[in-house]
Amino acid sequence: MSTLITYTGDGTTTDWTFSFPYLADDYVTFTVLDAGNQDVTINYTGELVSTSELRVTPAIPADYTLTVLRDTAVQDDLFGFGAGGVMRPSDIAFAMKSVRDYSEEARYNNASNTSAIAAAASASLSASEADDSAASAAAAAA
C-alpha cells in the first residue's frame, strides 16, 4: 500500500483526498514543491477535514507539486509497557499497527532511494562510457 500520494496543483483546489490508513492525525503530513522543485511547504497550512481529506491553504498553484504522506513517528514511545502494568489488547494492537505502518513507510522510502541510486548509477555508467568512447577516439586519431 502506498503511503504517499502526489498531486499537481491547479491554483484552485484546496481539499485533497488520500486513502492510506493512519493511527494519529499528526502522522498525516504534506510537502509542497514549486516548479523548480524547491520546498515551499512553509508557505502553506494543512488540516484534516475528514479521515481521508486534507485541506491545504492557500490553493497550490499550477505546476507546483503537493505530496500527501503518512509519517508514523516511532519515537512517540508507543511501546512503554511498564513492569507489572496491564497490557490491554487495544494497546498491543496499536503497537503492532504502528510497527506495520513504520515498516511500510521504510519500505517505500527504501524503494524510492533504490530507484534514485539506480538512476544515478546508470547516469554515472553512461558518463563513464562516454569518457571511454572519447578516449578511444582520441587514441585512434593520434
Side-chain angles (χ1 to χ4, degrees):
M1 162 181 298
S2 178
T3 61
L4 174 140
I5 300 172
T6 302
Y7 294 101
T8 301
D10 61 10
T12 59
T13 302
T14 57
D15 292 355
W16 307 88
T17 60
F18 58 93
S19 59
F20 51 79
Y22 55 95
L23 296 171
D25 291 353
D26 291 344
Y27 298 167
V28 178
T29 186
F30 69 97
T31 58
V32 180
L33 301 179
D34 66 14
N37 284 329
Q38 298 298 312
D39 188 341
V40 293
T41 306
I42 196 165
N43 300 323
Y44 297 88
T45 59
E47 67 175 313
L48 288 173
V49 292
S50 74
T51 57
S52 61
E53 191 171 31
L54 177 71
R55 177 168 294 145
V56 178
T57 53
I60 309 295
D63 298 328
Y64 278 40
T65 303
L66 168 71
T67 302
V68 180
L69 63 138
R70 182 182 72 207
D71 187 15
T72 302
V74 294
Q75 66 272 17
D76 284 351
D77 209 13
L78 302 172
F79 313 106
F81 302 117
V86 176
M87 292 176 47
R88 295 173 296 181
S90 60
D91 295 332
I92 296 169
F94 186 81
M96 298 283 292
K97 289 176 184 176
S98 296
V99 170
R100 178 207 58 206
D101 289 357
Y102 188 75
S103 297
E104 286 175 350
E105 293 158 17
R107 182 175 60 229
Y108 177 81
N109 289 338
N110 188 40
S112 296
N113 291 342
T114 301
S115 296
I117 290 167
S122 176
S124 176
L125 182 59
S126 296
S128 176
E129 289 169 348
D131 287 346
D132 290 347
S133 295
S136 295

